[in-house]
Amino acid sequence: NAGVTQTPKFQVLKTGQSMTLQCAQDMNHNSMYWYRQDPGMGLRLIYYSASEGTTDKGEVPNGYNVSRLNKREFSLRLESAAPSQTSVYFCASSAFGLAGGNTGELFFGEGSRLTVL
Amino acid sequence: AQSVSQHNHHVILSEAASLELGCNYSYGGTVNLFWYVQYPGQHLQLLLKYFSGDPLVKGIKGFEAEFIKSKFSFNLRKPSVQWSDTAEYFCAVRRGSNYKLTFGKGTLLTVNP
């Protein structure tokens, strides 16, 4: 199993450019998440999707949009990149909420390092 | 808003020393608690978790954590650290049935050989 796969792994953008980070999971999980990681700030939740067809804002949603394309895929879009969005982005998925009392741990992708000049 | 506090930003130990990393959270209701580890250049991996039952939980690689409800704490411990434990450690909390998982800012552990 591949688990959670993110693409691209590295990206350099100029201010104002747009891009989409792709995420796919093959564990049949219902919930998916996008976090950003910055030094000294830990992981901050950008958006999450509790199930296919739903998305909700996290702590730091401004400047981002998401799409839950189907159960497997959850993309993050930067419409007009800013230097403040330079970060490492992690996608994660979880079986939390599924029947069976799953403990709901998050499984993370390898991360996408984005630099905005 | 719920918050998760990790009081130690950077901990430096020698091999074989004992480790305790603090984690406190601010929500008073039912919580699910997690510790994740991030080795240099890698993604986060689960060390251990608490949902219910015995408040002392054991995880991988000899780590354990104790949930003390009265203190809103979930401290991570290991009796004897190794150089390979050098990593960043994150505490995370889920509030009840909420889908969101809130992370602390992390503690960087450096173990000197």
Side-chain angles (χ1 to χ4, degrees), chain A residues 44-107:
Chain A
R44 292 180 292 170
L45 182 64
I46 305 171
Y47 271 93
Y48 69 102
S49 170
S51 61
E52 185 179 354
T54 69
T55 60
D56 286 284
K57 295 178 180 180
E59 304 169 63
V60 289
N62 291 346
Y64 304 95
N65 286 301
V66 290
S67 296
R68 184 73 182 266
L69 305 170
N70 48 55
K71 189 171 184 179
R72 291 186 63 248
E73 298 173 290
F74 188 40
S75 62
L76 178 71
R77 182 161 178 83
L78 286 70
E79 291 290 353
S80 179
S84 61
Q85 293 178 304
T86 293
S87 186
V88 180
Y89 292 85
F90 286 98
C91 179
S93 71
S94 171
F96 185 72
L98 289 177
N102 186 276
T103 56
E105 67 195 75
L106 265 58
F107 293 81

Side-chain angles (χ1 to χ4, degrees), chain B residues 7 19 27 41 46 69 75 92 103-105 109:
Chain B
H7 308 295
L19 170 71
Y27 179 62
L46 183 71
K69 189 173 182 179
N75 292 355
F103 284 80
K105 293 186 177 182
L109 171 65

Side-chain angles (χ1 to χ4, degrees), chain B residues 43-84:
Chain B
H43 64 290
L44 275 77
Q45 304 170 47
L46 183 71
L47 268 181
L48 48 78
K49 59 191 175 188
Y50 172 81
F51 251 53
S52 62
D54 189 345
L56 183 63
V57 293
K58 296 190 184 299
I60 60 171
K61 305 187 180 185
F63 287 92
E64 65 178 32
E66 184 175 13
F67 170 48
I68 303 179
K69 189 173 182 179
S70 61
K71 295 185 177 180
F72 301 94
S73 70
F74 189 55
N75 292 355
L76 181 71
R77 301 195 291 247
K78 186 171 184 179
S80 176
V81 294
Q82 301 173 313
W83 176 79
S84 58

Side-chain angles (χ1 to χ4, degrees), chain A residues 1-9 20-34 67-76 89-94 107-112:
Chain A
N1 278 346
V4 179
T5 303
Q6 295 180 229
T7 56
K9 288 185 169 44
T20 299
L21 298 175
Q22 307 285 355
C23 176
Q25 54 91 10
D26 61 4
M27 295 175 282
N28 201 33
H29 287 168
N30 59 318
S31 56
M32 298 185 73
Y33 306 77
W34 277 106
S67 296
R68 184 73 182 266
L69 305 170
N70 48 55
K71 189 171 184 179
R72 291 186 63 248
E73 298 173 290
F74 188 40
S75 62
L76 178 71
Y89 292 85
F90 286 98
C91 179
S93 71
S94 171
F107 293 81
F108 285 86
E110 298 285 332
S112 299

